[in-house]
Amino acid sequence: MEHGDAGPGGPRPTDGSRPVVVRVPVEPVEAAVEADAVDAVMRAGGLVVRGPLFGVAAQDSGEGPRWRVVVAVTDGCPQQARDSLNSLLWFRAKDRAEDRAERRALLAAVARLENERVDDLTVAGTRYRVVRAEEYAGTGPGGMEEPRPTDPEPLVPDWDRAVRGPDIDDALVLDPDAPVAPSQAAERLALRGFRYTGDRFPEDVRADSERAVDTHPDILVLPPTFTVVEQTPGGGTPLSGPHVSAHAARKSLDFALTWMWPRMRGLIPEDADMHADARALTDPELTAYVEAADALRAGRVNRLEFQDSVYKIVRTRRMLRWGPDGPDGPRPSDVNSQDPTRIHPPLDEDGRVLPETGNENGAGNENGTGNDNGTGTGS
């Protein structure tokens, strides 16, 4: 994350934007969260921007302006989100389709996603869209914002790697008309004019960013996430994340200290048992790793010094632009790290997995899993 030439610009749009409905927090917990947010604004004087993240939202018939997140907005490129949508629809066809007609429609959508960069499609009564958000963090004299006192934390921290917590954006509903607290309303209004302005951004990126201010003038701020960052003179380098909670980010740093980094640095042999970590071995060179992990587990630690580096748990935010037709999607200048391709084997009309035909690029069949040209022309 770096201090980029990305200008907040103020609430520039004057046409087509929605009014922001503000509710005053009255419950004690809500009031504490609001006071915490106001304090954070006073401490943070600016933003550092990491760049776009992608996910998938769905809208059912009759839902009005509301969409629900079905693939967390955490992917680094649009094609990763398309591939996740591919899997979502394939498993729906395999396990939850009510009849052959619905399964054919779902598999036709899968075939398109195997061959095309599809960002918006309607299938079996549900509209799906790949959505785009900007990831950023507040920054002030002390660096990037750390977790706030009112951010959720477990009463008893669980460090067991086999135990998973909730997922990011689980059951999240995107509703541009939902009332928000005063601090949230202020943040949404302040970010309306956000766009890339610096010369370090390519011209097409700046042009797309400028255009989005007008085509998608409203802002939704998604729930906070948490990232492990190694501090650098110009800001910080994200090492993991995003995570759903500060504790989940700490667990990822604990894993790096006791399992991943010792292996990467040759301190744990490559042929060692997968469950072996620095705590289970007696190599003196691993002592520093264990001591750092112990310090991390001592409490709600958000800053850790280890081997001449400083690691911080940073509170990251995501803003999603919104227009008359709903959430913003990928832009022409967004970079894809891979091409569309087949991810799962073909299914028949009854949801049975078919044997591969030997054509690595895929194969259509007479039961509706392909179009007239087959499903196997993906690049």
Side-chain angles (χ1 to χ4, degrees), residues 79 81-91 93 106-119 121 338-347 356 359-365 368-371 373-379:
Q79 189 56 45
R82 295 184 197 109
D83 289 346
S84 295
L85 176 58
N86 181 329
S87 288
L88 186 151
L89 296 178
W90 189 89
F91 280 106
L106 290 164
L107 292 176
V110 169
R112 285 193 66 194
L113 288 162
E114 290 175 343
N115 293 278
E116 306 172 33
R117 298 196 191 281
V118 183
D119 294 325
L121 59 84
Q338 63 234 41
D339 291 325
T341 189
R342 167 173 286 180
I343 300 173
H344 301 286
L347 300 174
E356 295 289 351
N359 180 355
E360 294 181 357
N361 290 325
N365 63 68
T369 62
N371 52 32
N373 296 318
T375 64
T377 59
S379 56

Side-chain angles (χ1 to χ4, degrees), residues 109-356:
V110 169
R112 285 193 66 194
L113 288 162
E114 290 175 343
N115 293 278
E116 306 172 33
R117 298 196 191 281
V118 183
D119 294 325
D120 201 312
L121 59 84
T122 299
V123 56
T126 300
R127 184 180 185 186
Y128 297 92
R129 176 177 295 175
V130 177
V131 299
R132 180 191 198 278
E134 296 281 358
E135 187 181 25
Y136 63 97
T139 184
M144 286 180 283
E145 183 182 10
E146 296 181 3
R148 299 175 183 175
T150 50
D151 287 328
E153 294 271 10
L155 292 176
V156 179
D158 191 334
W159 296 94
D160 187 344
R161 297 185 193 123
V163 175
R164 290 192 57 182
D167 293 325
I168 293 175
D169 297 336
D170 186 29
L172 177 63
V173 174
L174 306 175
D175 185 353
D177 296 329
V180 294
S183 62
Q184 294 171 319
E187 186 171 13
R188 286 170 59 168
L189 291 172
L191 290 170
R192 277 186 173 179
F194 175 92
R195 56 199 179 277
Y196 293 127
T197 58
D199 291 340
R200 71 185 184 92
F201 297 107
E203 183 177 353
D204 59 341
V205 172
R206 299 198 306 269
D208 284 348
S209 180
E210 182 73 23
R211 189 179 305 111
V213 175
D214 294 319
T215 61
H216 294 77
D218 296 304
I219 298 293
L220 266 66
V221 178
L222 305 185
T225 51
F226 301 85
T227 301
V228 180
V229 169
E230 182 179 5
Q231 282 192 296
T232 60
T237 301
L239 300 182
S240 71
H243 299 279
V244 71
S245 68
H247 179 65
R250 295 184 198 108
K251 281 182 72 171
S252 74
L253 181 54
D254 177 86
F255 174 75
L257 286 164
T258 59
W259 195 97
M260 185 173 67
W261 291 347
R263 280 173 165 78
M264 291 172 58
R265 297 164 185 175
L267 301 179
I268 295 180
E270 293 182 2
D271 58 354
D273 183 273
M274 286 296 293
H275 299 288
D277 63 12
R279 295 179 184 279
L281 302 175
T282 57
D283 189 334
E285 290 188 84
L286 293 171
T287 301
Y289 291 81
V290 175
E291 290 176 347
D294 288 344
L296 186 65
R297 294 188 181 199
R300 295 181 179 179
V301 176
N302 296 320
R303 186 180 186 277
L304 181 72
E305 296 185 18
F306 177 66
Q307 292 186 340
D308 300 323
S309 293
V310 176
Y311 301 93
K312 290 184 64 174
I313 308 300
V314 170
R315 189 182 202 268
T316 43
R317 309 298 304 276
R318 296 165 295 158
M319 54 163 280
L320 187 151
R321 285 202 168 276
W322 200 276
D325 191 39
D328 192 13
R331 301 170 184 172
S333 58
D334 288 327
V335 177
N336 290 281
S337 62
Q338 63 234 41
D339 291 325
T341 189
R342 167 173 286 180
I343 300 173
H344 301 286
L347 300 174
D348 68 11
E349 285 187 332
D350 296 310
R352 292 188 293 260
V353 177
L354 298 174
E356 295 289 351

